[in-house]
Amino acid sequence: MSRKKRISKKERQEKLKEMIKEDPFQNDEELASAFGVSIQTLRLDRMELGIPELRERFRNVAEGNYQKVRSMVGAEIVGELIDLTLGKQGISILETDEAMAFKKTNIVRGHHIFSQAESLAMAVIDADVALTGVANIKYLKPIYLGDKLVAKA
Amino acid sequence: MSRKKRISKKERQEKLKEMIKEDPFQNDEELASAFGVSIQTLRLDRMELGIPELRERFRNVAEGNYQKVRSMVGAEIVGELIDLTLGKQGISILETDEAMAFKKTNIVRGHHIFSQAESLAMAVIDADVALTGVANIKYLKPIYLGDKLVAKA
DNA sequence: ACTGTCTTTATGACTAGGTACTAATTATTA
DNA sequence: TAATAATTAGTACCTAGTCATAAAGACAGT
């Protein structure tokens, strides 16, 4: 008479994966009690799924994101970064470069256009959230090597 | 006859601040040996400067950045997110909202304009690095509630 | 030279959030 | 019911620290 037939291992693990994708910053205790299982069980699940421990998850996200920011700050990737005040504003200028385009066509990859604006924005964002307009970049026309992208209000 | 007159406390702390700004992901041991002081000294320095421990630094960067991404994925903040393929492209539409502007003037905060484009770009960026044009948003004119921002190639 | 203060280093107890392993208990199923 | 799978418990250990206390070293002024 199992009053609350707990979900199966497989089910649980599936949900665990989702949960961690949604919010990777919960420790084993929190996750375990979310499923109503012991902490050991949850750890077994994590192991079986190859999910690293909380601190490593923090590290992963932090380093991953830091690289993006660094990729901006370090001029080598984003180009020249002018006047970046974290949390306030930033301006970056980048000459298009071979590495950025399809090597064959010299057409700059569409999503890089995004990236430019976006990564700058990333640097700028901080505590305040809420945005404004419409990012409406839709590959209206291909950008060629040397072209410039202007994001305008 | 101090052969290698170690730098002063003040000097050391100044450099420490810089080092951590440059690369926040070093532990006390690494930092201490970088200065040739004991780990305790370095910890004192950190305390005096109000620099949190490594794990907290990880957490800060991770959570800070995760929020940015989440703020995009979760439509409640960025608005409607259309067609976001991580690592490839993304389009988001957002109606301006009271929360985004200065409550008095109804002028949308300048850096949010950035944020819009940038955070989208963040979502798009992934493995590929290298960007294209020029983000040239310079508060040419104030954006009012309901206005739309168009980033164009 | 001695005192007082600042700085640095040492030491020990404690913490979070784990890993790794062993063992025992509880379900489930053939 | 016996075998197998799943869960739980318990212990020792780890990292990267905190916090408090104490001792040792450096340097200045008198």
Side-chain angles (χ1 to χ4, degrees):
Chain A
M1 208 179 281
S2 44
R3 299 188 310 113
K4 249 195 186 173
K5 184 150 176 99
R6 285 207 307 246
I7 61 176
S8 75
K9 192 182 172 182
K10 212 158 196 177
E11 247 182 298
R12 178 167 23 86
Q13 293 190 345
E14 283 309 309
K15 287 193 182 171
L16 180 57
K17 276 195 282 187
E18 273 177 50
M19 280 185 70
I20 288 203
K21 208 188 284 180
E22 258 185 38
D23 176 10
F25 306 144
Q26 298 181 77
N27 63 22
D28 289 355
E29 205 178 311
E30 292 167 334
L31 293 166
S33 76
F35 287 112
V37 298
S38 75
I39 211 169
Q40 288 84 354
T41 300
L42 194 120
R43 282 174 182 164
L44 275 179
D45 284 353
R46 251 200 314 105
M47 307 268 158
E48 286 175 16
L49 297 172
I51 297 170
E53 63 169 287
L54 174 62
R55 289 153 184 166
E56 227 174 275
R57 298 199 296 273
F58 270 125
R59 255 171 259 148
N60 293 157
V61 176
E63 278 176 341
N65 282 296
Y66 197 68
Q67 283 230 355
K68 291 175 195 172
V69 174
R70 276 175 66 89
S71 78
M72 304 196 31
V73 175
E76 75 281 8
I77 292 170
V78 177
E80 250 183 306
L81 191 81
I82 301 172
D83 184 28
L84 204 206
T85 313
L86 267 162
K88 295 219 169 140
Q89 66 165 109
I91 298 168
S92 93
I93 295 181
L94 179 86
E95 309 283 296
T96 42
D97 193 68
E98 312 123 17
M100 308 162 191
F102 292 106
K103 269 151 203 163
K104 309 155 207 177
T105 56
N106 265 4
I107 296 176
V108 174
R109 287 158 193 270
H111 70 271
H112 289 340
I113 300 162
F114 259 64
S115 300
Q116 161 64 359
E118 278 170 16
S119 62
L120 220 200
M122 269 305 295
V124 164
I125 293 178
D126 221 304
D128 286 295
V129 262
L131 311 175
T132 20
V134 174
N136 207 359
I137 308 171
K138 255 194 146 174
Y139 316 121
L140 301 174
K141 40 182 174 173
I143 312 290
Y144 290 92
L145 239 164
D147 282 6
K148 296 200 168 197
L149 206 206
V150 181
K152 226 195 236 169
Chain B
M1 211 175 280
S2 43
R3 299 189 308 113
K4 249 193 185 174
K5 184 148 177 102
R6 286 208 304 249
I7 59 178
S8 75
K9 190 181 173 182
K10 213 158 195 176
E11 246 181 298
R12 179 170 20 91
Q13 293 191 344
E14 283 309 310
K15 288 192 182 172
L16 180 58
K17 277 195 281 187
E18 273 177 49
M19 282 185 69
I20 289 204
K21 208 188 285 180
E22 257 183 39
D23 175 11
F25 305 145
Q26 298 181 78
N27 62 23
D28 289 355
E29 206 180 309
E30 292 167 334
L31 293 166
S33 75
F35 287 113
V37 297
S38 75
I39 211 168
Q40 289 85 353
T41 300
L42 195 120
R43 280 172 183 165
L44 275 179
D45 285 353
R46 253 201 313 106
M47 308 267 158
E48 285 175 15
L49 298 171
I51 297 170
E53 65 169 284
L54 174 61
R55 289 150 182 170
E56 224 172 279
R57 297 198 299 271
F58 271 125
R59 254 170 260 149
N60 292 157
V61 176
E63 277 177 339
N65 284 294
Y66 197 69
Q67 283 228 357
K68 294 173 193 173
V69 175
R70 276 176 66 89
S71 78
M72 305 196 31
V73 175
E76 76 280 10
I77 292 170
V78 176
E80 250 182 308
L81 192 80
I82 302 172
D83 184 28
L84 204 208
T85 313
L86 268 164
K88 294 216 172 142
Q89 67 166 110
I91 297 167
S92 96
I93 294 180
L94 178 89
E95 309 283 297
T96 44
D97 192 67
E98 310 125 18
M100 308 164 192
F102 292 107
K103 268 150 203 163
K104 310 155 206 178
T105 55
N106 266 5
I107 296 177
V108 174
R109 287 158 192 271
H111 69 273
H112 289 340
I113 301 162
F114 260 62
S115 302
Q116 161 66 359
E118 278 170 16
S119 62
L120 220 200
M122 267 307 294
V124 165
I125 293 179
D126 221 304
D128 287 295
V129 263
L131 312 175
T132 19
V134 173
N136 206 358
I137 308 171
K138 255 193 143 173
Y139 316 123
L140 302 174
K141 41 184 173 172
I143 312 291
Y144 291 92
L145 239 164
D147 282 7
K148 296 200 168 195
L149 206 207
V150 181
K152 226 196 235 168

